[in-house]
Amino acid sequence: MRPSKRDELVRKALTVFYRDGFHATGMDTLVQETGISKTTMFKHFRTKEELILAVLRLRDENFRNWLMRRIADLSPSPAGQLIAVFDALEEWFAEPDFRGCLFIKAAGEYPEEGHPIHAQSAEHKRLLKKGLEAIARAAGAADPNLLARQLLILKEGAIVAAHMGFDPDPAGAAKSAAKGLLAQALGSCATSERSDELHAERKPGCQPLCGDPA
Amino acid sequence: MRPSKRDELVRKALTVFYRDGFHATGMDTLVQETGISKTTMFKHFRTKEELILAVLRLRDENFRNWLMRRIADLSPSPAGQLIAVFDALEEWFAEPDFRGCLFIKAAGEYPEEGHPIHAQSAEHKRLLKKGLEAIARAAGAADPNLLARQLLILKEGAIVAAHMGFDPDPAGAAKSAAKGLLAQALGSCATSERSDELHAERKPGCQPLCGDPA
DNA sequence: TTATAAGTGGACAGATCTGTACAGTTTGTC
DNA sequence: GACAAACTGTACAGATCTGTCCACTTATAA
């Protein structure tokens, strides 16, 4: 259990930053909320920015793993998985501690393109697009790149809508839009892909995203 | 010119908050950037939060006016206007000072649902939805509410994509998706609504959104 | 001219910010 | 037991935060 304190810090800092924001969270707050001394924090991370970058790395890994596993559990076919993205989102939105997307927040608080935090947040989205594009290609989409970009735009929009609460069912609205896009991209042959009738149970190891890791 | 200093403060504070963020911008920075004394600021607004709320009110008015006028200039028909939303977005994204959506930023920095800044940001989106829904109804959409929600989700997603730079043409991707939704919502009769061939010039009084108002 | 309102500049209070310093304590390993 | 590494608690520096105070200047208008 060598690097446990460091990991524990990153895990707990994630929940605090996610809950309260980056600038709004001071290092003293983190000391109080994590129970880890400030000395130790600054031994593992030379600056607050380095800690934030580590938090973003952890979140990137957690989120992409969670999403990909979840949609694989929800549907066996690539086309069904693309739609299942929005079922997974719906589950996420329903979590009590849901507060939007950490990377959108980070990009908002560090808005300069060249800032490491901004750049790393953008990289997360690029990796997501890559993942969706691979699935779109496997599904036989006419233009996998375009379809992936459109689905990602729907996903980001649904997250914003869910966080700001201006849509009663953002995942549902995005899902129905995605179905139309998919039907169009796959040609008229597979219009009514029935991907959502099997609502797979969460498999063990596939935990909710917002839960307190304490 | 009675309330000019107050308006000038709100206008200039808008550009600074939009450029740097809310928590990252201190009142002393605003003094420096606006040339208005701190005493005057706190005479017009009792707290920083009140100033932010005034900034958001101004932005809400500016943005909604700009968008509605722009799409009316771009297309005479309601259906065309719904598509023209994404042409307007493209113009916005191309502005040199574009840095995403101020309301998404605000909701990110003040993430509690009940916080006045969060609530007012959400209200802006609700008003946008209402506007789009009216146009969708005028266009004869089967379900104007759903169509408006889907278009708004596409819009928010495109803004996030543009700000984070993970899509080479977010407005274009969203626009093509919107065309599909619209064709579906209007029935098969008006599939190829040619809304974008007339690229209306900016009319006077319809200025870009990010320009320094100084 | 004179009364009123609005704006200025700078010092200040008290809190909080990031990051450092240091002496002491726990923990794991030989 | 002994050594090294990791961790703790607290105090601190220096900057910055929101908001106040006060004496002074400028503009407006009767």
Side-chain angles (χ1 to χ4, degrees), chain B residues 1-210:
Chain B
M1 54 178 286
R2 181 72 47 70
S4 92
K5 263 291 188 293
R6 190 196 137 113
D7 290 2
E8 184 189 348
L9 167 59
V10 176
R11 245 184 316 122
K12 291 186 174 172
L14 167 54
T15 66
V16 181
F17 282 135
Y18 182 62
R19 189 205 329 125
D20 297 339
F22 297 96
H23 285 100
T25 301
M27 298 302 279
D28 291 292
T29 303
L30 287 179
V31 170
Q32 206 172 343
E33 297 249 2
T34 65
I36 295 170
S37 72
K38 192 149 52 160
T39 313
T40 300
M41 288 183 180
F42 279 100
K43 196 158 292 176
H44 285 301
F45 302 99
R46 286 196 342 228
T47 62
K48 183 185 180 185
E49 181 180 313
E50 278 190 15
L51 171 60
I52 293 177
L53 289 171
V55 163
L56 292 178
R57 270 190 294 272
L58 174 64
R59 180 62 163 190
D60 169 58
E61 194 179 311
N62 282 357
F63 186 87
R64 293 209 335 273
N65 283 343
W66 169 81
L67 182 64
M68 291 306 169
R69 284 182 197 165
R70 194 73 193 110
I71 65 177
D73 288 351
L74 283 167
S75 173
S77 75
Q81 288 169 5
L82 291 179
I83 300 302
V85 165
F86 300 92
D87 296 315
L89 286 185
E90 187 163 29
E91 296 173 9
W92 180 29
F93 298 164
E95 293 181 25
D97 297 328
F98 171 76
R99 290 215 167 171
C101 170
L102 188 71
F103 302 97
I104 295 177
K105 284 170 188 277
E109 291 206 44
Y110 301 89
E112 311 113 282
E113 296 278 337
H115 194 291
I117 293 178
H118 189 103
Q120 189 163 311
S121 300
E123 181 61 16
H124 164 76
K125 302 296 185 190
R126 243 172 262 121
L127 291 171
L128 274 178
K129 186 179 78 174
K130 223 160 128 181
L132 290 180
E133 187 174 341
I135 303 177
R137 185 166 290 113
D143 186 342
N145 178 277
L146 178 63
L147 180 59
R149 286 161 53 207
Q150 290 173 325
L151 291 176
L152 193 54
I153 284 174
L154 281 174
K155 168 191 163 285
E156 303 306 328
I159 292 173
V160 169
H163 180 222
M164 298 185 69
F166 59 80
D167 192 304
D169 179 17
K175 183 179 175 180
S176 64
K179 280 183 183 171
L181 289 179
L182 196 67
Q184 197 174 346
L186 298 185
S188 51
C189 53
T191 298
S192 69
E193 175 79 24
R194 300 174 316 162
S195 69
D196 50 334
E197 63 186 22
L198 62 154
H199 236 286
E201 291 301 312
R202 279 182 218 272
K203 292 191 178 172
C206 196
Q207 293 158 356
L209 272 171
C210 300

Side-chain angles (χ1 to χ4, degrees), chain A residues 49-67:
Chain A
E49 182 180 314
E50 278 189 16
L51 171 60
I52 293 176
L53 288 171
V55 163
L56 292 178
R57 271 190 294 275
L58 174 65
R59 180 62 164 189
D60 169 58
E61 195 179 309
N62 283 356
F63 186 87
R64 294 210 332 275
N65 282 343
W66 169 81
L67 182 64

Side-chain angles (χ1 to χ4, degrees), chain A residues 15-16 33 47 66 131 154:
Chain A
T15 65
V16 180
E33 295 249 2
T47 63
W66 169 81
L154 281 174

